[in-house]
Amino acid sequence: MAALAWLLIPVIAAVGGAIWAGWAARNRTTGDVTELAGYARFRDAMAKSHSGSEDSREPEPAA
């Protein structure tokens, strides 16, 4: 019975390693799409926050 327990430890470790390897090698194709969408939202927000500030200012007269 003790020999069976010692054989069970490597089997459990191999199954755990296979599960981890499958999780680590999973397909992650949505990363670029979400990053590009976030960058587009960032550009829109920056354009909105700065669009009226430069145009509405009158230049200061030169001394």
Side-chain angles (χ1 to χ4, degrees):
M1 190 67 172
L4 185 60
W6 279 107
L7 288 175
L8 194 59
I9 293 170
V11 170
I12 292 172
V15 169
I19 291 172
W20 179 82
W23 178 78
R26 70 189 184 279
N27 191 2
R28 302 180 195 180
T29 58
T30 61
D32 290 339
V33 175
T34 55
E35 288 180 17
L36 289 174
Y39 179 66
R41 287 193 308 268
F42 171 75
R43 284 187 306 164
D44 291 341
M46 292 304 288
K48 287 179 185 176
S49 66
H50 294 302
S51 64
S53 63
E54 293 293 327
D55 296 335
S56 64
R57 241 191 263 171
E58 294 182 17
E60 295 180 15

